[in-house]
Structure formats: C-alpha cells, structure tokens
Amino acid sequence: MLAAAPSQGTCLRSRHAGCRTQFVAAPVVRPCLQRLVRRQCVCMSTAAQKVSDLPGSLQKIVGSFQMVPDPMARYKQLLFYAAKLPPMAVEQHQPENKVEGCVSQVWVVPELRDDGKVYWTADSDSQLTKGLAALLVLGLNGCSPAEILSVQPGFIEMLGLKQSLTPSRNNGFLNMFLKMQKLTLGLLSSTNGSS
C-alpha cells in the first residue's frame, strides 16, 4: 500500500528538462532513502540512463537482446524467457497483483527478503507477455529497492523490442515495469511504517 497516490509533476532534474514525469510521494521513509523515494523520476527519455547504469542482471539481458539484430529472433528470445519463468501460485492471481493496461492478464508479486533485496514472481495468460514478465523478473530479482527505483523506463527502448511488438504490447510492458516500481515503493512504505 502506497502512502500517497502518484501525481503528475514537472521533472526537477535539469537533464530531463521538458519531459513528462510522474512523481511518487512517500512521506514515511528512512532519512537515507528519503530523497530517493520522494522524488523518483519516471522519465520516458532513453538518453537519461546508460546500460552500465542498470542493475547487473538487467545489463546482461539488455546486452543479449542488443546482440540479436533480427526482430523475429528477439520475439523467439521472449518465448524462451517465458519458458524459464517459474510458475506462480494461483492464489497470487489477485486484483492487487494484476497489471492494468495490458492486453493479456498479467500478475506480479514482490517479496522483500531479510537480505534487503526484492524477489519477484509473475505470470500471464499469454506466452509472449509471460516472456516480457520473465525478462523483468530475471532482470530485477535480487535487486535492492533503490536499484529498482533507479531504473528508468527508457531501458525498454535499449532492448530493441519495439519492432517486434505491437504498440499495445509495448504499452503493456511499460505498465508491467511501472507496476513493479509501484509495488517496490509499497514495500518500502510498509517496512518503514513498521520500523
């Protein structure tokens, strides 16, 4: 549960001047995370983040997709990722875990473990969408909340999947990623509220 609903705002970082952003306010945070959580920029610009700025597992995935020049081969690579996704318990197919704005039904569930890292499970009723979810799960599993929140949606462009997917699938992929960031903020808010 988030402390405050996302609101539209103007990007405060000069390098993102003119972009459309969402700022998520989370007033109950530890002082060391306060700046990170309060002003998390969700910028659609691809120039703002480099592959080297991504978490290691996500860097590897982006690199593997960038090495595949053929859009159809990238599509097949997504189906391969779908096959690697561990199954999700049917009980986790709850409305609060469902990703809105996807053509297919998609669910994502985070778990903040004692090591301070977030681990994900996901599922979808479509193999292609399951591949997109698997890509995010494998790329963000074992990351700290700060690492997850620092990833900008522009990394999606780095994958080179735009040509392989319909606009609605691209939008659904973005919605999955944003839902994962929102759930991460919820984990931070709930742990900070209980400490």
Side-chain angles (χ1 to χ4, degrees):
M1 186 179 323
L2 289 174
S7 61
Q8 293 294 328
T10 304
C11 187
L12 299 177
R13 298 180 189 171
S14 60
R15 69 176 185 233
H16 299 150
C19 74
R20 284 182 35 189
T21 63
Q22 289 183 333
F23 290 104
V24 180
V28 183
V29 294
R30 290 186 196 127
C32 62
L33 294 175
Q34 196 165 11
R35 278 179 50 203
L36 171 69
V37 176
R38 261 204 205 157
R39 295 278 187 238
Q40 177 60 35
C41 177
V42 181
C43 177
M44 301 304 174
S45 170
T46 58
Q49 191 168 36
K50 300 176 195 163
V51 174
S52 61
D53 295 336
L54 299 172
S57 50
L58 200 53
Q59 283 181 28
K60 289 177 186 172
I61 292 170
V62 169
S64 70
F65 273 87
Q66 288 178 342
M67 290 185 343
V68 179
D70 180 36
M72 190 53 132
R74 287 187 187 132
Y75 187 90
K76 289 179 182 177
Q77 204 168 359
L78 281 176
L79 296 177
F80 171 75
Y81 276 99
K84 290 174 64 172
L85 188 66
M88 174 189 264
V90 177
E91 300 82 42
Q92 293 182 317
H93 290 196
Q94 299 296 322
E96 63 270 13
N97 300 330
K98 190 171 181 183
V99 177
E100 298 299 324
C102 287
V103 174
S104 305
Q105 293 190 71
V106 184
W107 299 269
V108 293
V109 178
E111 177 189 355
L112 183 62
R113 296 189 185 161
D114 292 338
D115 63 359
K117 308 286 184 181
V118 181
Y119 296 86
W120 298 92
T121 54
D123 197 12
S124 177
D125 61 354
S126 156
Q127 281 300 101
L128 180 61
T129 306
K130 188 181 274 194
L132 293 168
L135 187 154
L136 290 171
V137 165
L138 294 170
L140 298 176
N141 255 354
C143 291
S144 68
E147 288 174 311
I148 294 168
L149 295 173
S150 72
V151 177
Q152 297 173 10
F155 92 90
I156 294 171
E157 294 285 329
M158 296 178 201
L159 292 165
L161 289 170
K162 201 169 195 168
Q163 306 87 341
S164 306
L165 303 173
T166 64
S168 59
R169 292 265 191 231
N170 277 307
N171 189 48
F173 188 40
L174 174 63
N175 288 337
M176 275 185 253
F177 172 69
L178 294 176
K179 173 76 171 184
M180 291 172 89
Q181 285 193 320
K182 181 178 177 181
L183 290 170
T184 301
L185 278 172
L187 290 173
L188 278 177
S189 295
S190 66
T191 58
N192 290 327
S194 64
S195 53

